[in-house]
Amino acid sequence: MGKVEEFQELRPLLFSIAYRMLGSVSEAEDAVQETWLRYDASPTTPTSAKAFLSATVTRIAIDVLRSARVRREEYVGPWFPEPLLDDPYEDPERAAELADSVSMAALLLLERLSPLERSVFVLREVFGFGFDEIAAAVGRTEAACRQLLVRARRHMRDGRPRFEADRAERQELAARFFDALKGGDVDGLRDVLAADVQMVGDGGGKAPQLARAIVGADNVAKLLAALFPAMLRVDLTLEPHEVNGQPGAIVRDRDGKVLHTLALDIAEGRVQAIRSVINPDKLAHLGPVADAWAIHEEVRGARRG
C-alpha cells in the first residue's frame, strides 16, 4: 500500500482526533491536511503509518490549541465547538467512548484541560492508544503521560456528562421535544425539560444571540413556545439531525440556507441543556449560511403580528 492509500485509510481517525482536540471542523481539516504534507515530505517510511500520522496530527493540534487560547478568551459570549453532524471514524469496540467524547458537553469539559492533558486524555480514553504511542506523540515520558492522564481524569470527572443510555428512548424524548417546539406547546415542553435546564446560544458577536443563558423549565418553555411558531411563520424549517452525537436539529431559512443548529443533552429522561450555534463562521462547513440578522428582524415582526 502506498503513502496516499495509507493516508486515506487513516484520514477518518486523524480527523476525529483533531476535532476532539480542537472543537473545530475547519481547524481539524487543516490539521489533517498539514499532517499529509509532512507525511508526504518525510524521506523515510515509518514502521507504523498509524502511529506516525496520529502523532503528527496530535502535535499539530497541540500547537493550534496553544495559539487558540487567546482567541477564545477574547470571544464574544459563550464559546461552543463547531457542530459536527457525522463523525467519520467508527470503531465498534469503542462506540460508547467515541459518541460521548464528541458531544458538546464533553468538548466543553475538554476545554478545561491544558493542551497536553487534552491530547493524552483523547488518545488514551477515547481512542485507546498505548502509553508508549502517546509519549511519542506528545514528547513526554510514559510516566509523565500517566500523570497527565490522572490530572485530566480528575478535571473531567465531576462534570462528566451522563447521557441517556437507551438510544431509542433518547430519540423518542427528542421527538416529543421538537413536536412541542413546533406547536408552541408550553406544557409539552415543560414535560420534557429538566427543572434546571439551560438554554445557551453561541453567536460570537456575529449573529443575534441570547444576552444570557435562560435557566429553568418554565422560563425555557415559555421562550421557546413564543419564539418558534414565529420562526415557522417566516418559513424557517426545523430539520431533525444528530449534532455532535446527540439529538438535535438544523434550522434553515426559506431558501434552505443554514441559520443555526440545536443540540440537546438528554439524561435521566429529560432535556438537561439546549445549545444553539448561530455564529456564521462555525456553520460554513454545513453549506450556505443564512443572514441571521435579517431573519431576526423578520421573526420579531412575526411575533408582533
Side-chain angles (χ1 to χ4, degrees), residues 4-69:
V4 173
E5 292 78 16
E6 284 181 322
F7 179 79
Q8 290 302 333
E9 185 175 283
L10 290 164
R11 179 188 280 272
L13 171 62
L14 303 178
F15 173 86
S16 294
I17 291 171
Y19 177 76
R20 285 164 176 81
M21 288 281 292
L22 300 170
S24 165
V25 172
S26 55
E27 288 180 347
E29 289 173 343
D30 288 345
V32 171
Q33 181 60 25
E34 177 62 24
T35 299
W36 160 249
L37 294 175
R38 295 187 188 184
Y39 185 46
D40 187 43
S42 176
T44 60
T45 301
T47 305
S48 167
K50 178 183 176 182
F52 177 88
L53 292 169
S54 300
T56 301
V57 82
T58 297
R59 287 193 289 268
I60 291 169
I62 288 171
D63 289 341
V64 174
L65 264 184
R66 286 171 172 157
S67 65
R69 292 261 160 162

Side-chain angles (χ1 to χ4, degrees), residues 76-242:
V76 178
W79 180 94
F80 291 158
E82 289 183 9
L84 182 70
L85 301 188
D86 299 293
D87 187 357
Y89 180 69
E90 296 180 1
D91 180 351
E93 294 184 2
R94 307 196 68 79
E97 292 93 338
L98 289 167
D100 284 357
S101 65
V102 82
S103 71
M104 288 276 183
L107 290 171
L108 288 170
L109 281 174
L110 284 170
E111 285 291 303
R112 302 178 182 180
L113 308 183
S114 72
L116 284 178
E117 289 171 345
R118 188 165 182 165
S119 60
V120 171
F121 186 90
V122 167
L123 291 176
R124 180 66 179 176
E125 297 290 283
V126 181
F127 294 98
F129 279 71
F131 279 106
D132 56 337
E133 298 170 299
I134 296 170
V138 303
R140 295 292 188 275
T141 64
E142 290 186 39
C145 289
R146 291 178 189 276
Q147 286 302 310
L148 285 165
L149 181 62
V150 168
R151 291 205 298 270
R153 283 174 173 166
R154 187 166 60 243
H155 287 308
M156 296 287 288
R157 191 179 299 122
D158 293 340
R160 190 80 176 167
R162 300 185 309 278
F163 298 114
E164 199 69 58
D166 189 300
R167 184 182 180 89
E169 290 181 12
R170 189 177 65 189
Q171 294 297 339
E172 189 273 335
L173 186 75
R176 288 171 56 198
F177 170 84
F178 286 119
D179 284 344
L181 182 62
K182 287 185 278 190
D185 180 357
V186 175
D187 291 334
L189 286 166
R190 281 200 200 99
D191 287 343
V192 298
L193 297 175
D196 58 350
V197 64
Q198 292 193 22
M199 186 167 72
V200 191
D202 172 355
K206 298 185 177 184
Q209 65 188 68
L210 298 169
R212 55 182 174 78
I214 308 301
V215 181
D218 194 54
N219 292 332
V220 171
K222 286 179 178 177
L223 177 61
L224 290 175
L227 184 60
F228 266 79
M231 292 175 69
L232 297 178
R233 285 197 292 274
V234 299
D235 299 323
L236 299 183
T237 56
L238 195 70
E239 178 185 309
H241 200 296
E242 277 203 352

